[in-house]
Amino acid sequence: MLSGYRPYLSSEAIHPNTILHSKLEEARHLSIVDQDLEYLSEGLEGRSSNPVAVLFDALLHPDADFGYDYPSILHWKLEQHHYIPHLVLGKGPPGGAWHNMEGSMLTISFGNWMELPGLKFKDWVSSKRRNLKGDRVMPEEIARYYKHYVKVMGLQKNFRENTYITSVSRLYRDQVDNDGQDRDISTQHLQIEKSKFTKRNWEIRGYQRIRDGSHIPFCLFAENVALATGTLDSPGRLEIDGEDFPFVFHSMPEFGAAISKGQLCGKVDPVLIVGSGLTAADAVLCAYNNNVPVIHVFRRRVTDPSLIFKQLPKKLYPEYHKVYHMMCTQSYSLDSNLLSDYTSFPEHHVLSFKSDMKCILQNISGLKKIFKLSAAVVLIGSHPNLSFLKEQGCYLGHNSSQPITCKGNPVEIDAYTYECVKEANLFALGPLVGDNFVRFLKGGALGVTRCLATRQKKKKQHLFVERGGGDGIA
């Protein structure tokens, strides 16, 4: 969108939501970016707490939550005059975390929800392989799709790979706040310059890693910064004794690698999997499908309404509902002891791991149990790495005393512009603001683009000065 692509209502499209459709008809000649997003999203409901995310998803995937596969009601035009200069800095290639999932043997439920506007995923993937079975795809295919998307849409010139950010700060902040000494510029002059020219500018420092492994430092200046780092940088830890033993894994790729190398197959002792999210469910499926017995431990009740399984349609995510069904029906009891293939331990937590590959579990009433393991996988979420911001970015969250997390403490943003409430000209989108699914994070791009385009328009208007006494514009 920053490159000038604009979504319009398709001429033949009719949205199944009649109220939304009539609102869209009122300004059919305008792109969605130029419309009132608050007005359009009013009254819509969906699986995101961000109204623009729900709106954009409703336009791209009408009635998807009811199991329908209606086509998008939007068509896209490339309008070069809407280009907003920008750079996308990332540690890896376009596609981000999806490239780290390449080792996973599991397919994911796809539908058309993973695709980006302008390039249908099904068309792309069918050109790569002939035998398409339903909507199931490998994470590695999604990673390749995102990388290819940037080329097809002509966006390469804006992307910089292998870049690592070390600081994002307001220009001159350190010199003014912490230094207090006269250097080349007097403090008074600096304050004047700051208020005049650089009040809203950011200084971005970092380095780019090149092929020989060396680092080239860089320093950029930007009027606006958008944080789109996801939250997979640092895996969550239990912070208990024994967590650093080599048989305890903290990521799906590590566990998948151990399975694919045959390290756990044929073992009598079960694998302990900790967590109740989709990644933990992936690990359960991975072990289950490879005949590795599982002990599945999680703190919540199986009836907890906030469990992610309750938010996923059964038709589209049958494998996750299979895991959820096992969580509910194959739980541990003193009478039955462990089941051969899978046993769940709702409302339990791990007290410690022991060097002899044993773990101690405890339930809510304080009862402890000890089990011998072949491995343990701790998959309890992850945290973003915002070390380049002051206070590790904590001050941007709803609770400034806690680290930023997708569910518990997302970045606090304006609902329609995605601008950080506590820092002007800093934006956040995706998991940082609670939108874990690709399907919903696209709304962030719409909100940010609308905000920047509106401000750019106002700036241009300020360049025109009304002639004194006349009715023309100079």
Side-chain angles (χ1 to χ4, degrees):
M1 287 197 217
L2 294 180
S3 294
Y5 284 96
R6 287 291 179 268
Y8 288 84
L9 180 65
S10 294
S11 55
E12 69 286 353
I14 297 176
H15 198 281
N17 181 325
T18 52
I19 296 172
L20 176 58
H21 187 78
S22 63
K23 287 180 181 179
L24 293 165
E25 284 285 4
E26 290 169 17
R28 179 182 273 281
H29 61 290
L30 292 176
S31 80
I32 304 300
V33 173
D34 296 314
Q35 295 189 39
D36 183 340
L37 301 183
E38 186 170 357
Y39 172 63
L40 290 178
S41 57
E42 187 182 20
L44 296 179
E45 293 181 359
R47 294 186 174 131
S48 169
S49 56
N50 296 311
V52 177
V54 175
L55 166 66
F56 204 35
D57 178 67
L59 302 178
L60 292 168
H61 310 294
D63 278 0
D65 284 336
F66 298 109
Y68 295 109
D69 190 13
Y70 293 138
S72 167
I73 63 160
L74 301 177
H75 74 104
W76 293 76
K77 294 180 187 175
L78 178 56
E79 299 174 340
Q80 306 270 2
H81 60 284
H82 284 313
Y83 178 86
I84 295 174
H86 63 284
L87 275 179
V88 184
L89 305 176
K91 288 185 284 191
W98 287 97
H99 291 277
N100 301 331
M101 300 178 206
E102 284 187 41
S104 169
M105 301 174 301
L106 295 168
T107 63
I108 62 162
S109 295
F110 186 75
N112 56 358
W113 295 356
M114 307 299 297
E115 73 187 22
L116 298 177
L119 178 63
K120 284 196 174 297
F121 180 84
K122 284 179 181 174
D123 294 347
W124 177 83
V125 81
S126 62
S127 70
K128 302 293 170 190
R129 57 184 170 102
R130 288 178 187 173
N131 56 333
L132 273 178
K133 292 179 182 176
D135 288 334
R136 316 292 301 194
V137 290
M138 296 295 289
E140 132 184 43
E141 289 180 300
I142 295 183
R144 291 210 318 271
Y145 164 77
Y146 289 142
K147 196 173 176 182
H148 185 69
Y149 181 85
V150 168
K151 287 182 186 170
V152 169
M153 305 302 282
L155 312 177
Q156 305 101 306
K157 68 179 187 296
N158 302 110
F159 280 74
R160 299 291 182 275
E161 297 179 21
N162 303 312
T163 55
Y164 297 78
I165 310 300
T166 53
S167 82
V168 173
S169 57
R170 288 286 192 193
L171 204 54
Y172 296 132
R173 177 186 282 129
D174 289 345
Q175 293 92 319
V176 176
D177 293 349
N178 303 328
D179 195 336
Q181 293 182 19
D182 271 347
R183 296 248 173 119
D184 297 335
I185 313 172
S186 71
T187 304
Q188 184 185 4
H189 184 234
L190 183 58
Q191 288 284 31
I192 294 166
E193 294 294 300
K194 185 182 174 191
S195 62
K196 219 173 183 180
F197 303 111
T198 60
K199 192 175 178 183
R200 294 182 295 153
N201 277 12
W202 294 95
E203 179 187 77
I204 299 101
R205 290 185 176 272
Y207 61 87
Q208 186 165 30
R209 185 179 283 163
I210 54 176
R211 282 181 183 175
D212 65 6
S214 58
H215 296 171
I216 300 174
F218 64 81
C219 178
L220 299 170
F221 300 99
E223 196 172 318
N224 302 284
V225 171
L227 303 172
T229 59
T231 59
L232 288 177
D233 288 312
S234 294
R237 293 175 62 86
L238 297 168
E239 306 297 346
I240 58 173
D241 288 344
E243 196 170 359
D244 291 320
F245 285 130
F247 67 88
V248 182
F249 305 119
H250 287 85
S251 77
M252 191 57 207
E254 279 181 303
F255 179 55
I259 290 269
S260 59
K261 287 174 188 169
Q263 292 172 4
L264 304 173
C265 295
K267 294 279 180 81
V268 178
D269 296 323
V271 166
L272 172 76
I273 295 171
V274 185
S276 59
L278 295 185
T279 312
D282 281 344
V284 169
L285 287 165
C286 185
Y288 188 85
N289 294 337
N290 284 276
N291 301 313
V292 177
V294 171
I295 290 176
H296 187 191
V297 173
F298 45 97
R299 288 177 176 267
R300 299 185 195 184
R301 304 186 317 275
V302 289
T303 53
D304 190 323
S306 62
L307 281 175
I308 187 68
F309 308 100
K310 293 185 174 289
Q311 301 170 38
L312 300 174
K314 280 187 181 180
K315 278 185 182 178
L316 293 166
Y317 289 85
E319 83 281 31
Y320 290 134
H321 281 276
K322 175 185 176 182
V323 173
Y324 181 53
H325 180 71
M326 293 196 300
M327 288 164 67
C328 296
T329 60
Q330 293 178 221
S331 57
Y332 178 83
S333 72
L334 291 171
D335 302 329
S336 63
N337 287 320
L338 288 185
L339 301 169
S340 59
D341 53 0
Y342 171 94
T343 311
S344 73
F345 287 77
E347 298 182 276
H348 280 70
H349 64 278
V350 185
L351 278 183
S352 63
F353 295 105
K354 302 298 179 186
S355 57
D356 59 357
M357 297 182 75
K358 287 181 179 171
C359 73
I360 303 174
L361 305 183
Q362 186 175 41
N363 68 8
I364 49 171
S365 59
L367 187 66
K368 296 176 184 175
K369 307 174 188 72
I370 299 174
F371 294 102
K372 180 85 166 69
L373 308 173
S374 60
V377 200
V378 178
L379 299 168
I380 54 171
S382 55
H383 305 289
N385 177 5
L386 298 175
S387 59
F388 49 83
L389 292 171
K390 71 176 183 181
E391 299 171 24
Q392 313 279 310
C394 290
Y395 79 106
L396 299 172
H398 286 263
N399 182 346
S400 57
S401 64
Q402 297 292 318
I404 300 296
T405 59
C406 178
K407 286 182 185 171
N409 189 35
V411 172
E412 190 178 4
I413 53 165
D414 177 280
Y416 301 98
T417 66
Y418 285 74
E419 188 171 28
C420 296
V421 169
K422 292 162 187 163
E423 192 77 87
N425 299 91
L426 184 67
F427 298 81
L429 60 156
L432 291 175
V433 300
D435 283 329
N436 242 335
F437 292 107
V438 173
R439 183 182 155 195
F440 293 114
L441 64 81
K442 290 175 269 194
L446 175 61
V448 174
T449 304
R450 167 149 176 74
C451 180
L452 297 182
T454 303
R455 287 178 185 175
Q456 196 176 56
K457 207 178 285 181
K458 283 179 183 171
K459 265 190 193 174
K460 285 177 182 174
Q461 286 168 353
H462 285 311
L463 296 175
F464 295 106
V465 181
E466 193 174 342
R467 287 178 183 163
D471 57 0
I473 292 181

